[in-house]
Amino acid sequence: MENATKHIILYAEDDKDDLELVKDAFSQYGDQIEIHHGQDGREALQVLQNLIAKDTAPCLIILDINMPGMDGRQTLIQLKQSEKTRHIPVVMFTTSNSRLDKDFAVKWGADFITKPLKFGEVVSLADDFIRRCNISISKAS
């Protein structure tokens, strides 16, 4: 990793297998990564509020689009409408490859990545997510 900064990432995901896959991909970074998780958007927003209250905002938020309860779209809107969270980079990470979903993500200032099928691709994405965190942290400095 480029520096010794601990990266805090918030991941909203209802599928336990997808959650474990992403956690496994980040395991190459050891204790330099701390993943916080919400089962849906509402729970993720609560986790985020707790992190911000401890002055430990994440450097990246990863949102699944299709979750029960509050989905990723609703969550993204709330994140980008809040003064406290609009600056945090967001990636919509989904099985969807819908043009409407991509357009929605762009409209609300998020990146859009379709979930890969192979573990090696998820590991590469973990590297990309870390780069995004490094950029986010350097902009905040």
Side-chain angles (χ1 to χ4, degrees):
M1 191 148 59
E2 293 171 18
N3 59 40
T5 303
K6 183 163 205 145
H7 296 307
I8 297 172
I9 296 173
L10 175 59
Y11 186 23
E13 173 63 68
D14 63 313
D15 185 306
K16 288 183 173 138
D17 291 335
D18 285 350
L19 173 64
E20 289 306 313
L21 192 65
V22 169
K23 283 183 173 182
D24 287 347
F26 278 115
S27 68
Q28 66 183 318
Y29 292 101
D31 63 355
Q32 296 302 311
I33 297 292
E34 193 174 297
I35 297 179
H36 294 260
H37 173 250
Q39 291 282 335
D40 64 17
R42 189 165 280 105
E43 188 175 308
L45 290 172
Q46 185 60 52
V47 170
L48 179 59
Q49 284 180 340
N50 293 340
L51 288 169
I52 290 171
K54 296 176 187 172
D55 201 27
T56 56
C59 58
L60 179 68
I61 298 172
I62 304 170
L63 297 175
D64 183 24
I65 289 181
N66 299 310
M67 296 179 286
M70 180 183 277
D71 69 15
R73 291 174 206 83
Q74 296 165 312
T75 308
L76 177 61
I77 290 169
Q78 286 205 14
L79 289 168
K80 294 303 181 179
Q81 288 181 336
S82 168
E83 192 68 39
K84 289 183 179 180
T85 59
R86 72 172 49 141
H87 68 282
I88 302 171
V90 177
V91 173
M92 303 299 283
F93 190 54
T94 179
T95 55
S96 169
N97 60 6
S98 157
R99 170 56 56 203
L100 289 175
D101 287 337
K102 289 177 187 177
D103 291 346
F104 181 87
V106 169
K107 174 185 175 185
W108 286 96
D111 290 325
F112 184 93
I113 298 175
T114 301
K115 291 178 182 176
L117 299 176
K118 296 179 182 168
F119 181 71
E121 294 170 334
V122 178
V123 171
S124 294
L125 276 175
D127 293 337
D128 179 58
F129 290 156
I130 294 302
R131 279 190 292 280
R132 291 169 193 261
C133 276
N134 288 334
I135 290 168
S136 172
I137 288 168
S138 68
K139 283 182 181 178
S141 300

